[in-house]
C-alpha cells in the first residue's frame, strides 16, 4: 500500500510535471515512477491500472497517462485535477491495491 507518510519519508523529485502534478521520488524510469500528487496521491509503482478511481471519482480528478515499460502496468491514474477533490474517499476505498492516499485532514 501507499505510504501515507510519504511527505515525511520522500523527497520531491519534480515540483510540477507536464500535468501540473508534484512527483515524489525515488524516480528511475521506466521501472520506478514514484508517488504522483500531494493532496490526492497515487503511488505509480503500485497502481496496476484497475481504473476504478477514474470511473468512480465524482469530480474527475484522474486522467490516464502512458507509462510504457513499467512492470505493474503501462498506464497509470494521474491525479491531474487534485485541486477539484471533495474528499469523498471513494477512490481510496475502491483501489484494489491501495495505491491512493487522500489527505482529508
Ligand atoms: Fe475523487 Fe473522492 Fe478520490 Fe477526491 S477522494 S479524488 S473526489 S474519488
Ligand atoms: Fe490504479 Fe488503483 Fe486507480 S490500481 S487506476 S490507482 S483504482
Amino acid at each position: 500500500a501507499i505510504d501515507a507518510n510519504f511527505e515525511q519519508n520522500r523527497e520531491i523529485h519534480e515540483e510540477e510535471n507536464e500535468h501540473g502534478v508534484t512527483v515524489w521520488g525515488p524516480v528511475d524510469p521506466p521501472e520506478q515512477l514514484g508517488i504522483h500528487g500531494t493532496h490526492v496521491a497515487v503511488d505509480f509503482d503500485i497502481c496496476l491500472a484497475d481504473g476504478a478511481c477514474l470511473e468512480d471519482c465524482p469530480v474527475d480528478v484522474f486522467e490516464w497517462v502512458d507509462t510504457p515499460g513499467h512492470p505493474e502496468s503501462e498506464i497509470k491514474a494521474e491525479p491531474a485535477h487534485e485541486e477539484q477533490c471533495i474528499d469523498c474517499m471513494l477512490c481510496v476505498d475502491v483501489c484494489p491495491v491501495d495505491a491512493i492516499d487522500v489527505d482529508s485532514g
Side-chain angles (χ1 to χ4, degrees), residues 3-84:
D3 175 9
N5 296 316
F6 70 90
E7 287 176 75
Q8 283 79 50
N9 295 336
R10 293 181 178 225
E11 305 281 337
I12 289 177
H13 170 76
E14 192 177 8
E15 200 69 55
E16 272 196 23
N17 72 3
E18 65 272 32
H19 299 98
V21 174
T22 299
V23 179
W24 300 78
V27 170
D28 185 16
E31 295 89 1
Q32 192 171 35
L33 300 174
I35 289 177
H36 286 222
T38 302
H39 178 69
V40 179
V42 179
D43 191 326
F44 269 31
D45 296 313
I46 297 175
C47 173
L48 39 65
D50 176 83
C53 57
L54 271 98
E55 287 166 26
D56 288 2
C57 177
V59 292
D60 295 332
V61 162
F62 304 97
E63 279 181 21
W64 288 124
V65 294
D66 292 326
T67 57
H70 191 273
E72 294 297 337
S73 60
E74 301 210 321
I75 55 172
K76 304 287 179 186
E78 183 84 282
H81 310 288
E82 62 180 329
E83 73 285 351
Q84 296 176 15

